[in-house]
Amino acid sequence: MTDIRPLAAGNWKMNGLRASLGELEAIASAVRAGETGRAEVLICPPATLIAAAAQAGGGMAIGGQDCHAAASGAHTGDISAQMLRDAGATYVIVGHSERRADHGESDQMVRDKAEAALRAGLTAIVCVGETRDQRESGQTLAVVGSQIAGSLPHDATAATLVVAYEPVWAIGTGLTPTAADVAEVHAFIRHELIDLMPGEGEKVRILYGGSVKPANAVELMGVENVNGALVGGASLTAKDFLGIAGVYK
Ligand code: PGA
């Protein structure tokens, strides 16, 4: 199996004022001190903090949480991938379930955003995952498969694409799938990636996200084909986030 460098990513969502940059600085200095080992560390703060975070976060990567599909234009309130890049981001999350649900983002819209990210020189983190109803009715793999088929950017490589499996029912709830369930979905995603991206699909990082905490990080990050975490709530404090990213030390 290819040796994949894991990615420990934090998604601050709509949290964080300038005062929160202290947490980010604490994470960055731990990264520089080697406390996160071989993992690549990424924080995606709100857009208002990206430029300052890129300055304060030496040693780690900074990303956006969404971008528009167009490079510029009459789209009041939106932010382009190029603008994120210009502010110092190197990653952007697209298709998070909160955007799919709250902003009606379809697979096609997510793909368009991911392709815009690649054009701007960003790495796209494309999120997929089933709802509770879909899991309970046995549709998990079908749902994830159709999100993969519909939302991944064309012409991506393992360097420009990350896939995050985030069961919607696990986000912010304290609930997580069993290690066996995570292994099943991640193996399925790996298989789909190899099919869609011959020569690259085996190297694309597949993150698990949804209630990752220091207490469950060793187990979840140890599952086969789990190449890192996408962390929401526990990424807001350096202590908790480092308790997760630190499993790679
Ligand atoms: P959570 O969020 O860690 O707070 O469950 C994960 C996410 O939405 O990326």
Side-chain angles (χ1 to χ4, degrees), residues 213-238:
K213 308 287 177 207
N216 60 24
V218 170
E219 185 185 15
L220 290 167
M221 297 306 105
V223 173
E224 191 160 5
N225 287 307
V226 173
N227 312 117
L230 182 53
V231 184
S235 72
L236 295 172
T237 62

Side-chain angles (χ1 to χ4, degrees), residues 11 13 96 166 170-172 210-211 230-233:
N11 170 14
K13 309 192 179 184
H96 190 282
E166 299 205 306
I171 294 176
S211 295
L230 182 53
V231 184

Side-chain angles (χ1 to χ4, degrees), residues 141-142 144-146 148-149 152 185-198 201-202 206:
L141 299 186
V144 169
S146 92
I148 294 275
L152 294 196
V185 179
H186 279 240
F188 170 75
I189 293 173
R190 177 69 65 209
H191 181 269
E192 297 296 290
L193 288 172
I194 289 171
D195 233 37
L196 286 167
M197 300 166 61
E202 40 278 279
I206 308 173

Side-chain angles (χ1 to χ4, degrees), residues 12 15-27 45-46 48-50 52-53 56 235-238:
W12 281 11
N15 298 291
L17 302 173
R18 282 181 295 170
S20 321
L21 289 170
E23 294 299 323
L24 192 130
E25 280 164 3
I27 295 168
T48 48
L49 293 180
I50 288 175
S235 72
L236 295 172
T237 62

Side-chain angles (χ1 to χ4, degrees), residues 16-181:
L17 302 173
R18 282 181 295 170
S20 321
L21 289 170
E23 294 299 323
L24 192 130
E25 280 164 3
I27 295 168
S29 79
V31 171
R32 291 193 300 270
E35 288 176 32
T36 52
R38 63 195 188 93
E40 182 180 4
V41 176
L42 164 70
I43 293 287
C44 300
T48 48
L49 293 180
I50 288 175
Q55 293 257 311
M60 56 191 249
I62 300 299
Q65 299 173 10
D66 176 49
C67 66
H68 196 278
S72 62
H75 303 288
T76 302
D78 280 316
I79 295 177
S80 73
Q82 209 175 17
M83 291 169 179
L84 296 174
R85 174 85 204 175
D86 186 52
T90 54
Y91 282 84
V92 62
I93 298 168
V94 293
H96 190 282
S97 64
E98 287 153 15
R99 300 234 28 119
R100 289 180 186 262
D102 299 352
H103 299 269
E105 293 188 6
S106 63
D107 286 337
Q108 183 62 51
M109 288 164 74
V110 174
R111 167 174 283 156
D112 291 345
K113 289 174 178 219
E115 291 186 342
L118 268 48
R119 280 195 299 276
L122 299 175
T123 295
I125 301 178
V126 179
C127 302
V128 298
E130 81 288 359
T131 63
R132 175 183 294 280
D133 281 357
Q134 289 165 337
R135 172 158 288 270
E136 284 172 357
S137 57
Q139 297 174 69
T140 298
L141 299 186
V143 168
V144 169
S146 92
Q147 289 172 330
I148 294 275
S151 12
L152 294 196
H154 293 119
D155 299 325
T157 67
T160 60
L161 175 68
V162 174
V163 174
Y165 169 56
E166 299 205 306
V168 178
W169 54 272
I171 294 176
T173 58
L175 303 171
T176 54
T178 64
D181 287 341

